Amino acid sequence: PLNATEQYKFTRRQLQNLISRSRSRLGSFVGDITRHYMRYHADTEGFNGGYLHDPIAVAVALFPNLARTRKLHVEIETRGGITRGMTVAHLRIPHRMAVPKVNVVESIDVERFISLFNRRVFAR
């Protein structure tokens, strides 16, 4: 969920520093394709950077021990006017009719993720 992937804010300054030190073509590409995404966060959330939702999801898929998970019953809200399309995990009480089957990420090892991401994207 977003609360797990938003544990780490990747700033434009960090990105530019990594690009200048590595001269990686992939790193430069990441810089180019994230420019507008990072500007959006500067305009709407007050920081020039972005969240790495997809890279974190891929990293957890490849390295499950990168995350702390909790098995929960999860449903997709299909009727709510505000919540339509959202996943809803039953956190407070066990759902009476369903067995928890989904490993929901509660937190990630941010330092380890950063190390993995930087080595793979900005390696020479």
Side-chain angles (χ1 to χ4, degrees), residues 44-113:
T44 62
E45 295 188 31
F47 75 99
N48 191 3
Y51 300 107
L52 300 176
H53 303 295
D54 293 340
I56 289 173
V58 170
V60 170
L62 294 172
F63 305 99
N65 64 353
L66 187 66
R68 187 173 53 105
T69 63
R70 179 177 174 189
K71 197 169 283 275
L72 297 169
H73 175 71
V74 176
E75 295 183 54
I76 308 300
E77 172 59 63
T78 59
R79 289 173 270 184
I82 296 173
T83 58
R84 186 170 168 219
M86 293 180 75
T87 55
V88 179
H90 296 275
L91 298 172
R92 285 188 237 147
I93 57 173
H95 192 274
R96 290 182 279 207
M97 303 300 286
V99 176
K101 296 180 182 175
V102 178
N103 285 322
V104 177
V105 173
E106 291 188 319
S107 65
I108 61 163
D109 182 337
V110 174
E111 295 301 319
R112 189 164 160 233
F113 166 74

Side-chain angles (χ1 to χ4, degrees), residues 9-12 34 37-42 47-51:
K9 292 179 181 178
F10 190 47
T11 68
R12 190 83 189 154
T34 60
Y37 175 67
M38 290 186 169
R39 170 91 39 223
Y40 168 81
H41 285 99
F47 75 99
N48 191 3
Y51 300 107

Side-chain angles (χ1 to χ4, degrees), residues 3-20:
N3 61 318
T5 59
E6 289 179 351
Q7 286 181 266
Y8 177 58
K9 292 179 181 178
F10 190 47
T11 68
R12 190 83 189 154
R13 180 174 292 183
Q14 289 170 307
L15 176 60
Q16 290 170 333
N17 185 33
L18 288 163
I19 291 170
S20 69

